[in-house]
Amino acid sequence: GAPALSLYSPSDPLTVLQADTLERSIFNSSSAWVVEFYASWCGHCIHFAPTWRALANDIQEWRPALRLGVLDCAEASSQKVCSEFGITGFPTLKVKGMDGAGIQILAHSEATLQPLRHSIITSVERHEDVWPPACPPLEPTSLAEVRGFFQANNVTYLALIFEKADSFMGREVILDMLQYENIAVRRVLSSDEEMVKKYDVATFPSAYLLTSNGSCSRIPVHLEERSFYTFFLRRLPDIVRGTSYNLTVIPDTEPRTTPTPWRVADSSKLYMADLESVLHYTLRVEVARFSDLRGERLTALKRYVSVLAKYFPARPSVRNVLRNLNRWLRGVKERDLPYSAVEAVPNARLMNRTIWVGCQGSQSQFRGYPCSLWLLFHLLTVQATLPKGQNASPLEVLSAMREYVRFFFGCRDCAEHFEGMAAESMDKVKSRDEAVVWLWSRHNRVNARIAGTTSEDPKFPKLQWPPPSMCPACHKKFNGQQVWDEGAVLSFFKAHFSPSNIYLDYIP
Ligand code: FAD
């Protein structure tokens, strides 16, 4: 069977959350939390995971002031909580305060540690509700506070980091030293003339060490950098890590996903289970993330359902669901529609969970939903070449796909890339056959771009498709080089993406 792996493991210094532990962990906590909401099927989340893990290692000593968590929104059990949290794209980072209101930062999969640290600090500071009790003060100190510091605080050392207002180093060192006893760290702004004059500071950043016996000296470091300050301070005499901080991470729960039995599939066939799974996932999970559908997003939904009703080679019961939904949506004249109204249209005949067969991955984070979304739209472009599509625009299906991806597809970086390709050349498509070829060649471009990356299932390497073993006639030689025979590709597509090539195995 396919082992159920998630992108994170309990040995990472972060909390692997589940739908039912999320609220308990976060709202009863004295820490600030930053949670990455991801979808294990989303390639960019897979690429982002090493960065998030590296960040968790980098700031593990900031616990308990600040904790990192992860939640997999692709798990059926998480879908409700992810939509309550307003998560519509992946990966999304949310900084949670004590009041439940969150600040959202959309993570770019290329994000690096330093900007992530900075935006986390900024978001925590911007919180207007109660300051997390476990979090030390991060605001700049003043001459008045420093004067009375050793009377008010029972510590031997006070480190002052003088820096410009836009520098994060002081706050990072404060958090780095959080678990150490007998020392406090404060930042001082270069604009604080009193302090700058009193300590005769000319370099920003630079750091000074004050002791309770009245001494004061500049901290000698090779570079005025976070790690150099931290290294120096942690090695001062009488500085020890407090015993109240337990660094071994006890995960709230072990990941609870159950392994899926391996389903044997023939790669030359399509499976209705994949196609109906994608109907369920798009209409009931991705669209459902938007509790209010309005404007262009509502139009995108209408177009998507309309091409499904027209071209999806459905079993009769499913065809009725799609046609009813389409008819109902066409009758909607309001500009705003609550998702609950869409949900209320009878749809019980749709599959109520996902069953991946041709799109099953060797591990749970591979293939699945994005694989089937491609298949669905290839199938629809091919079905639109039949006589029932003859009066429609050649762009009917491609535009519906473009809008679906733009307004609903959870992998936001994928959507951006796809929109880039569409903006570049989709309007050059002049016939329904050209629409089939356009989508084929753009999908191959995506395959080429992401082949060999960490989101590739090692058991299903990304190939230029169809390979010669599937369609020998699609490949020819020109000037000694392999080139495509587009006419043969089109014929192959019309046979491959036809109702007679769809197997009904594994449908419940
Ligand atoms: P997929 O590429 O999903 O293909 C599914 C199946 O379609 C294959 O098994 C094969 O049978 C068939 N197939 C393969 N190539 C073609 C073709 N050219 N024409 C017709 N059929 C074909 N992932 C990223 O990491 N970065 C991205 O930017 C990105 N953008 C995406 C944009 C869209 C619109 C979609 C739907 C997905 C995107 N993905 C992206 C996901 C990625 O393309 C794959 O879907 C995912 O990695 C799963 O791969 P897979 O091996 O199942 O094959």
Side-chain angles (χ1 to χ4, degrees), residues 223-252:
L223 284 175
E224 308 285 345
E225 288 285 352
R226 170 190 171 202
S227 58
F228 286 81
Y229 292 147
T230 304
F231 189 85
F232 176 87
L233 296 175
R234 287 182 183 166
R235 273 154 191 78
L236 287 169
D238 302 326
I239 291 296
V240 285
R241 195 195 295 279
T243 47
S244 51
Y245 299 110
N246 184 358
L247 271 193
T248 47
V249 196
I250 302 145
D252 283 21

PDB file of all heavy atoms in Angstrom, residues 223-252:
ATOM      1  N   LEU A 223      31.866  40.155  13.676  1.00  0.00           N
ATOM      2  CA  LEU A 223      30.872  40.783  12.794  1.00  0.00           C
ATOM      3  C   LEU A 223      29.678  41.199  13.638  1.00  0.00           C
ATOM      4  O   LEU A 223      29.294  40.468  14.565  1.00  0.00           O
ATOM      5  CB  LEU A 223      30.373  39.783  11.734  1.00  0.00           C
ATOM      6  CG  LEU A 223      31.294  39.478  10.562  1.00  0.00           C
ATOM      7  CD1 LEU A 223      30.682  38.374   9.705  1.00  0.00           C
ATOM      8  CD2 LEU A 223      31.520  40.737   9.720  1.00  0.00           C
ATOM      9  N   GLU A 224      29.095  42.336  13.318  1.00  0.00           N
ATOM     10  CA  GLU A 224      27.923  42.805  14.077  1.00  0.00           C
ATOM     11  C   GLU A 224      26.699  42.073  13.538  1.00  0.00           C
ATOM     12  O   GLU A 224      25.934  42.599  12.743  1.00  0.00           O
ATOM     13  CB  GLU A 224      27.765  44.328  13.939  1.00  0.00           C
ATOM     14  CG  GLU A 224      29.006  45.147  14.266  1.00  0.00           C
ATOM     15  CD  GLU A 224      29.307  45.260  15.762  1.00  0.00           C
ATOM     16  OE1 GLU A 224      28.424  44.946  16.590  1.00  0.00           O
ATOM     17  OE2 GLU A 224      30.446  45.666  16.094  1.00  0.00           O
ATOM     18  N   GLU A 225      26.565  40.821  13.944  1.00  0.00           N
ATOM     19  CA  GLU A 225      25.529  39.946  13.400  1.00  0.00           C
ATOM     20  C   GLU A 225      24.822  39.199  14.521  1.00  0.00           C
ATOM     21  O   GLU A 225      25.417  38.922  15.561  1.00  0.00           O
ATOM     22  CB  GLU A 225      26.156  38.873  12.492  1.00  0.00           C
ATOM     23  CG  GLU A 225      26.664  39.360  11.164  1.00  0.00           C
ATOM     24  CD  GLU A 225      25.535  39.651  10.188  1.00  0.00           C
ATOM     25  OE1 GLU A 225      24.362  39.332  10.512  1.00  0.00           O
ATOM     26  OE2 GLU A 225      25.833  40.210   9.118  1.00  0.00           O
ATOM     27  N   ARG A 226      23.599  38.823  14.230  1.00  0.00           N
ATOM     28  CA  ARG A 226      22.785  38.070  15.197  1.00  0.00           C
ATOM     29  C   ARG A 226      23.552  36.909  15.835  1.00  0.00           C
ATOM     30  O   ARG A 226      23.642  36.790  17.053  1.00  0.00           O
ATOM     31  CB  ARG A 226      21.537  37.546  14.470  1.00  0.00           C
ATOM     32  CG  ARG A 226      20.713  36.550  15.254  1.00  0.00           C
ATOM     33  CD  ARG A 226      19.636  35.900  14.381  1.00  0.00           C
ATOM     34  NE  ARG A 226      18.985  34.788  15.082  1.00  0.00           N
ATOM     35  CZ  ARG A 226      18.340  33.800  14.468  1.00  0.00           C
ATOM     36  NH1 ARG A 226      18.227  33.785  13.157  1.00  0.00           N
ATOM     37  NH2 ARG A 226      17.797  32.826  15.166  1.00  0.00           N
ATOM     38  N   SER A 227      24.104  36.026  14.997  1.00  0.00           N
ATOM     39  CA  SER A 227      24.702  34.809  15.554  1.00  0.00           C
ATOM     40  C   SER A 227      25.954  35.120  16.382  1.00  0.00           C
ATOM     41  O   SER A 227      26.240  34.423  17.354  1.00  0.00           O
ATOM     42  CB  SER A 227      25.029  33.827  14.441  1.00  0.00           C
ATOM     43  OG  SER A 227      25.911  34.433  13.527  1.00  0.00           O
ATOM     44  N   PHE A 228      26.671  36.183  16.020  1.00  0.00           N
ATOM     45  CA  PHE A 228      27.870  36.530  16.793  1.00  0.00           C
ATOM     46  C   PHE A 228      27.479  37.061  18.177  1.00  0.00           C
ATOM     47  O   PHE A 228      28.094  36.724  19.178  1.00  0.00           O
ATOM     48  CB  PHE A 228      28.722  37.548  16.030  1.00  0.00           C
ATOM     49  CG  PHE A 228      29.452  36.939  14.862  1.00  0.00           C
ATOM     50  CD1 PHE A 228      28.809  36.729  13.650  1.00  0.00           C
ATOM     51  CD2 PHE A 228      30.781  36.524  14.989  1.00  0.00           C
ATOM     52  CE1 PHE A 228      29.468  36.145  12.579  1.00  0.00           C
ATOM     53  CE2 PHE A 228      31.454  35.934  13.926  1.00  0.00           C
ATOM     54  CZ  PHE A 228      30.791  35.747  12.707  1.00  0.00           C
ATOM     55  N   TYR A 229      26.456  37.906  18.218  1.00  0.00           N
ATOM     56  CA  TYR A 229      25.981  38.397  19.525  1.00  0.00           C
ATOM     57  C   TYR A 229      25.486  37.246  20.383  1.00  0.00           C
ATOM     58  O   TYR A 229      25.819  37.125  21.556  1.00  0.00           O
ATOM     59  CB  TYR A 229      24.815  39.385  19.339  1.00  0.00           C
ATOM     60  CG  TYR A 229      25.191  40.695  18.694  1.00  0.00           C
ATOM     61  CD1 TYR A 229      24.282  41.361  17.862  1.00  0.00           C
ATOM     62  CD2 TYR A 229      26.427  41.303  18.918  1.00  0.00           C
ATOM     63  CE1 TYR A 229      24.592  42.583  17.267  1.00  0.00           C
ATOM     64  CE2 TYR A 229      26.750  42.516  18.323  1.00  0.00           C
ATOM     65  CZ  TYR A 229      25.829  43.150  17.495  1.00  0.00           C
ATOM     66  OH  TYR A 229      26.143  44.340  16.914  1.00  0.00           O
ATOM     67  N   THR A 230      24.681  36.391  19.772  1.00  0.00           N
ATOM     68  CA  THR A 230      24.083  35.301  20.530  1.00  0.00           C
ATOM     69  C   THR A 230      25.160  34.370  21.091  1.00  0.00           C
ATOM     70  O   THR A 230      25.131  33.982  22.261  1.00  0.00           O
ATOM     71  CB  THR A 230      23.126  34.516  19.604  1.00  0.00           C
ATOM     72  OG1 THR A 230      22.179  35.441  19.081  1.00  0.00           O
ATOM     73  CG2 THR A 230      22.395  33.437  20.328  1.00  0.00           C
ATOM     74  N   PHE A 231      26.139  34.075  20.240  1.00  0.00           N
ATOM     75  CA  PHE A 231      27.243  33.199  20.647  1.00  0.00           C
ATOM     76  C   PHE A 231      27.981  33.802  21.849  1.00  0.00           C
ATOM     77  O   PHE A 231      28.243  33.135  22.847  1.00  0.00           O
ATOM     78  CB  PHE A 231      28.185  33.051  19.453  1.00  0.00           C
ATOM     79  CG  PHE A 231      29.244  32.015  19.631  1.00  0.00           C
ATOM     80  CD1 PHE A 231      28.989  30.683  19.331  1.00  0.00           C
ATOM     81  CD2 PHE A 231      30.516  32.368  20.077  1.00  0.00           C
ATOM     82  CE1 PHE A 231      29.977  29.717  19.487  1.00  0.00           C
ATOM     83  CE2 PHE A 231      31.507  31.411  20.235  1.00  0.00           C
ATOM     84  CZ  PHE A 231      31.223  30.081  19.947  1.00  0.00           C
ATOM     85  N   PHE A 232      28.255  35.100  21.750  1.00  0.00           N
ATOM     86  CA  PHE A 232      28.980  35.778  22.830  1.00  0.00           C
ATOM     87  C   PHE A 232      28.159  35.750  24.125  1.00  0.00           C
ATOM     88  O   PHE A 232      28.662  35.389  25.191  1.00  0.00           O
ATOM     89  CB  PHE A 232      29.275  37.232  22.421  1.00  0.00           C
ATOM     90  CG  PHE A 232      29.924  38.044  23.504  1.00  0.00           C
ATOM     91  CD1 PHE A 232      31.307  38.044  23.660  1.00  0.00           C
ATOM     92  CD2 PHE A 232      29.152  38.799  24.387  1.00  0.00           C
ATOM     93  CE1 PHE A 232      31.902  38.780  24.673  1.00  0.00           C
ATOM     94  CE2 PHE A 232      29.746  39.537  25.408  1.00  0.00           C
ATOM     95  CZ  PHE A 232      31.118  39.528  25.549  1.00  0.00           C
ATOM     96  N   LEU A 233      26.897  36.108  24.033  1.00  0.00           N
ATOM     97  CA  LEU A 233      26.073  36.232  25.246  1.00  0.00           C
ATOM     98  C   LEU A 233      25.866  34.878  25.929  1.00  0.00           C
ATOM     99  O   LEU A 233      25.860  34.791  27.154  1.00  0.00           O
ATOM    100  CB  LEU A 233      24.715  36.862  24.900  1.00  0.00           C
ATOM    101  CG  LEU A 233      24.773  38.309  24.373  1.00  0.00           C
ATOM    102  CD1 LEU A 233      23.386  38.784  23.947  1.00  0.00           C
ATOM    103  CD2 LEU A 233      25.361  39.256  25.424  1.00  0.00           C
ATOM    104  N   ARG A 234      25.714  33.827  25.129  1.00  0.00           N
ATOM    105  CA  ARG A 234      25.449  32.510  25.733  1.00  0.00           C
ATOM    106  C   ARG A 234      26.669  31.963  26.454  1.00  0.00           C
ATOM    107  O   ARG A 234      26.544  31.027  27.237  1.00  0.00           O
ATOM    108  CB  ARG A 234      24.993  31.524  24.659  1.00  0.00           C
ATOM    109  CG  ARG A 234      23.587  31.813  24.207  1.00  0.00           C
ATOM    110  CD  ARG A 234      23.133  30.815  23.189  1.00  0.00           C
ATOM    111  NE  ARG A 234      21.789  31.172  22.719  1.00  0.00           N
ATOM    112  CZ  ARG A 234      21.223  30.666  21.644  1.00  0.00           C
ATOM    113  NH1 ARG A 234      21.867  29.777  20.911  1.00  0.00           N
ATOM    114  NH2 ARG A 234      20.014  31.037  21.301  1.00  0.00           N
ATOM    115  N   ARG A 235      27.833  32.525  26.171  1.00  0.00           N
ATOM    116  CA  ARG A 235      29.044  32.029  26.811  1.00  0.00           C
ATOM    117  C   ARG A 235      29.518  32.884  27.974  1.00  0.00           C
ATOM    118  O   ARG A 235      30.591  32.660  28.520  1.00  0.00           O
ATOM    119  CB  ARG A 235      30.149  31.858  25.772  1.00  0.00           C
ATOM    120  CG  ARG A 235      30.054  30.506  25.145  1.00  0.00           C
ATOM    121  CD  ARG A 235      30.627  30.442  23.755  1.00  0.00           C
ATOM    122  NE  ARG A 235      30.258  29.176  23.141  1.00  0.00           N
ATOM    123  CZ  ARG A 235      29.059  28.910  22.622  1.00  0.00           C
ATOM    124  NH1 ARG A 235      28.110  29.823  22.643  1.00  0.00           N
ATOM    125  NH2 ARG A 235      28.797  27.730  22.106  1.00  0.00           N
ATOM    126  N   LEU A 236      28.715  33.864  28.365  1.00  0.00           N
ATOM    127  CA  LEU A 236      29.107  34.684  29.520  1.00  0.00           C
ATOM    128  C   LEU A 236      29.073  33.831  30.791  1.00  0.00           C
ATOM    129  O   LEU A 236      28.278  32.889  30.875  1.00  0.00           O
ATOM    130  CB  LEU A 236      28.122  35.852  29.674  1.00  0.00           C
ATOM    131  CG  LEU A 236      28.242  36.970  28.652  1.00  0.00           C
ATOM    132  CD1 LEU A 236      27.038  37.909  28.762  1.00  0.00           C
ATOM    133  CD2 LEU A 236      29.542  37.746  28.852  1.00  0.00           C
ATOM    134  N   PRO A 237      29.916  34.190  31.802  1.00  0.00           N
ATOM    135  CA  PRO A 237      29.859  33.447  33.057  1.00  0.00           C
ATOM    136  C   PRO A 237      28.460  33.548  33.679  1.00  0.00           C
ATOM    137  O   PRO A 237      27.822  34.601  33.582  1.00  0.00           O
ATOM    138  CB  PRO A 237      30.894  34.152  33.947  1.00  0.00           C
ATOM    139  CG  PRO A 237      31.648  35.089  33.075  1.00  0.00           C
ATOM    140  CD  PRO A 237      30.920  35.245  31.785  1.00  0.00           C
ATOM    141  N   ASP A 238      28.018  32.478  34.291  1.00  0.00           N
ATOM    142  CA  ASP A 238      26.726  32.423  35.001  1.00  0.00           C
ATOM    143  C   ASP A 238      25.489  32.496  34.098  1.00  0.00           C
ATOM    144  O   ASP A 238      24.408  32.799  34.567  1.00  0.00           O
ATOM    145  CB  ASP A 238      26.605  33.544  36.055  1.00  0.00           C
ATOM    146  CG  ASP A 238      27.718  33.478  37.074  1.00  0.00           C
ATOM    147  OD1 ASP A 238      28.130  32.346  37.386  1.00  0.00           O
ATOM    148  OD2 ASP A 238      28.195  34.547  37.510  1.00  0.00           O
ATOM    149  N   ILE A 239      25.710  32.298  32.807  1.00  0.00           N
ATOM    150  CA  ILE A 239      24.541  32.270  31.922  1.00  0.00           C
ATOM    151  C   ILE A 239      24.170  30.815  31.647  1.00  0.00           C
ATOM    152  O   ILE A 239      25.004  30.060  31.156  1.00  0.00           O
ATOM    153  CB  ILE A 239      24.848  32.989  30.590  1.00  0.00           C
ATOM    154  CG1 ILE A 239      25.005  34.477  30.826  1.00  0.00           C
ATOM    155  CG2 ILE A 239      23.748  32.744  29.560  1.00  0.00           C
ATOM    156  CD1 ILE A 239      23.759  35.161  31.317  1.00  0.00           C
ATOM    157  N   VAL A 240      22.972  30.454  32.014  1.00  0.00           N
ATOM    158  CA  VAL A 240      22.526  29.081  31.763  1.00  0.00           C
ATOM    159  C   VAL A 240      21.130  29.094  31.175  1.00  0.00           C
ATOM    160  O   VAL A 240      20.357  30.020  31.408  1.00  0.00           O
ATOM    161  CB  VAL A 240      22.477  28.230  33.062  1.00  0.00           C
ATOM    162  CG1 VAL A 240      23.860  27.843  33.516  1.00  0.00           C
ATOM    163  CG2 VAL A 240      21.700  28.964  34.139  1.00  0.00           C
ATOM    164  N   ARG A 241      20.870  28.051  30.451  1.00  0.00           N
ATOM    165  CA  ARG A 241      19.522  27.903  29.923  1.00  0.00           C
ATOM    166  C   ARG A 241      18.585  27.552  31.065  1.00  0.00           C
ATOM    167  O   ARG A 241      18.895  26.710  31.895  1.00  0.00           O
ATOM    168  CB  ARG A 241      19.509  26.775  28.891  1.00  0.00           C
ATOM    169  CG  ARG A 241      18.272  26.780  28.022  1.00  0.00           C
ATOM    170  CD  ARG A 241      18.112  25.488  27.281  1.00  0.00           C
ATOM    171  NE  ARG A 241      19.173  25.234  26.313  1.00  0.00           N
ATOM    172  CZ  ARG A 241      19.212  25.754  25.091  1.00  0.00           C
ATOM    173  NH1 ARG A 241      18.290  26.584  24.697  1.00  0.00           N
ATOM    174  NH2 ARG A 241      20.195  25.445  24.271  1.00  0.00           N
ATOM    175  N   GLY A 242      17.459  28.208  31.117  1.00  0.00           N
ATOM    176  CA  GLY A 242      16.506  27.962  32.199  1.00  0.00           C
ATOM    177  C   GLY A 242      15.976  26.555  32.151  1.00  0.00           C
ATOM    178  O   GLY A 242      15.818  25.980  31.073  1.00  0.00           O
ATOM    179  N   THR A 243      15.708  26.006  33.320  1.00  0.00           N
ATOM    180  CA  THR A 243      15.234  24.623  33.349  1.00  0.00           C
ATOM    181  C   THR A 243      13.766  24.536  32.970  1.00  0.00           C
ATOM    182  O   THR A 243      13.251  23.457  32.700  1.00  0.00           O
ATOM    183  CB  THR A 243      15.412  24.031  34.756  1.00  0.00           C
ATOM    184  OG1 THR A 243      14.900  25.003  35.673  1.00  0.00           O
ATOM    185  CG2 THR A 243      16.858  23.729  35.050  1.00  0.00           C
ATOM    186  N   SER A 244      13.087  25.680  32.952  1.00  0.00           N
ATOM    187  CA  SER A 244      11.652  25.604  32.650  1.00  0.00           C
ATOM    188  C   SER A 244      11.386  25.387  31.168  1.00  0.00           C
ATOM    189  O   SER A 244      10.258  25.154  30.767  1.00  0.00           O
ATOM    190  CB  SER A 244      10.952  26.876  33.120  1.00  0.00           C
ATOM    191  OG  SER A 244      11.646  27.994  32.624  1.00  0.00           O
ATOM    192  N   TYR A 245      12.436  25.495  30.360  1.00  0.00           N
ATOM    193  CA  TYR A 245      12.210  25.305  28.931  1.00  0.00           C
ATOM    194  C   TYR A 245      12.583  23.896  28.529  1.00  0.00           C
ATOM    195  O   TYR A 245      13.725  23.487  28.662  1.00  0.00           O
ATOM    196  CB  TYR A 245      13.049  26.302  28.130  1.00  0.00           C
ATOM    197  CG  TYR A 245      12.678  27.697  28.458  1.00  0.00           C
ATOM    198  CD1 TYR A 245      13.542  28.523  29.163  1.00  0.00           C
ATOM    199  CD2 TYR A 245      11.431  28.183  28.086  1.00  0.00           C
ATOM    200  CE1 TYR A 245      13.177  29.813  29.479  1.00  0.00           C
ATOM    201  CE2 TYR A 245      11.066  29.468  28.399  1.00  0.00           C
ATOM    202  CZ  TYR A 245      11.935  30.284  29.098  1.00  0.00           C
ATOM    203  OH  TYR A 245      11.573  31.537  29.408  1.00  0.00           O
ATOM    204  N   ASN A 246      11.615  23.201  28.043  1.00  0.00           N
ATOM    205  CA  ASN A 246      11.871  21.833  27.627  1.00  0.00           C
ATOM    206  C   ASN A 246      12.024  21.820  26.117  1.00  0.00           C
ATOM    207  O   ASN A 246      11.100  22.104  25.386  1.00  0.00           O
ATOM    208  CB  ASN A 246      10.685  20.967  28.060  1.00  0.00           C
ATOM    209  CG  ASN A 246      10.943  19.521  27.728  1.00  0.00           C
ATOM    210  OD1 ASN A 246      11.988  19.198  27.138  1.00  0.00           O
ATOM    211  ND2 ASN A 246      10.016  18.665  28.082  1.00  0.00           N
ATOM    212  N   LEU A 247      13.222  21.492  25.689  1.00  0.00           N
ATOM    213  CA  LEU A 247      13.473  21.585  24.255  1.00  0.00           C
ATOM    214  C   LEU A 247      13.063  20.365  23.458  1.00  0.00           C
ATOM    215  O   LEU A 247      12.981  20.407  22.259  1.00  0.00           O
ATOM    216  CB  LEU A 247      14.943  21.890  23.993  1.00  0.00           C
ATOM    217  CG  LEU A 247      15.256  23.369  23.951  1.00  0.00           C
ATOM    218  CD1 LEU A 247      16.620  23.604  23.377  1.00  0.00           C
ATOM    219  CD2 LEU A 247      14.213  24.132  23.124  1.00  0.00           C
ATOM    220  N   THR A 248      12.857  19.269  24.177  1.00  0.00           N
ATOM    221  CA  THR A 248      12.415  18.115  23.381  1.00  0.00           C
ATOM    222  C   THR A 248      10.958  18.332  23.021  1.00  0.00           C
ATOM    223  O   THR A 248      10.145  18.716  23.845  1.00  0.00           O
ATOM    224  CB  THR A 248      12.550  16.795  24.164  1.00  0.00           C
ATOM    225  OG1 THR A 248      12.002  17.030  25.441  1.00  0.00           O
ATOM    226  CG2 THR A 248      13.986  16.341  24.253  1.00  0.00           C
ATOM    227  N   VAL A 249      10.645  18.099  21.778  1.00  0.00           N
ATOM    228  CA  VAL A 249       9.301  18.415  21.307  1.00  0.00           C
ATOM    229  C   VAL A 249       8.416  17.219  21.520  1.00  0.00           C
ATOM    230  O   VAL A 249       8.733  16.117  21.106  1.00  0.00           O
ATOM    231  CB  VAL A 249       9.318  18.705  19.798  1.00  0.00           C
ATOM    232  CG1 VAL A 249       8.034  19.392  19.392  1.00  0.00           C
ATOM    233  CG2 VAL A 249      10.534  19.496  19.430  1.00  0.00           C
ATOM    234  N   ILE A 250       7.317  17.466  22.185  1.00  0.00           N
ATOM    235  CA  ILE A 250       6.344  16.394  22.306  1.00  0.00           C
ATOM    236  C   ILE A 250       5.227  16.734  21.341  1.00  0.00           C
ATOM    237  O   ILE A 250       4.506  17.704  21.533  1.00  0.00           O
ATOM    238  CB  ILE A 250       5.811  16.289  23.744  1.00  0.00           C
ATOM    239  CG1 ILE A 250       7.003  16.066  24.684  1.00  0.00           C
ATOM    240  CG2 ILE A 250       4.800  15.167  23.877  1.00  0.00           C
ATOM    241  CD1 ILE A 250       6.858  16.714  26.014  1.00  0.00           C
ATOM    242  N   PRO A 251       5.107  15.984  20.253  1.00  0.00           N
ATOM    243  CA  PRO A 251       4.057  16.309  19.297  1.00  0.00           C
ATOM    244  C   PRO A 251       2.695  16.146  19.957  1.00  0.00           C
ATOM    245  O   PRO A 251       2.513  15.248  20.779  1.00  0.00           O
ATOM    246  CB  PRO A 251       4.253  15.292  18.176  1.00  0.00           C
ATOM    247  CG  PRO A 251       5.036  14.181  18.789  1.00  0.00           C
ATOM    248  CD  PRO A 251       5.831  14.758  19.908  1.00  0.00           C
ATOM    249  N   ASP A 252       1.774  17.032  19.592  1.00  0.00           N
ATOM    250  CA  ASP A 252       0.440  16.935  20.175  1.00  0.00           C
ATOM    251  C   ASP A 252      -0.193  15.595  19.844  1.00  0.00           C
ATOM    252  O   ASP A 252      -0.855  14.989  20.658  1.00  0.00           O
ATOM    253  CB  ASP A 252      -0.435  18.061  19.656  1.00  0.00           C
ATOM    254  CG  ASP A 252      -0.099  19.356  20.360  1.00  0.00           C
ATOM    255  OD1 ASP A 252       1.018  19.460  20.903  1.00  0.00           O
ATOM    256  OD2 ASP A 252      -0.937  20.239  20.382  1.00  0.00           O
TER     257      ASP A 252
END
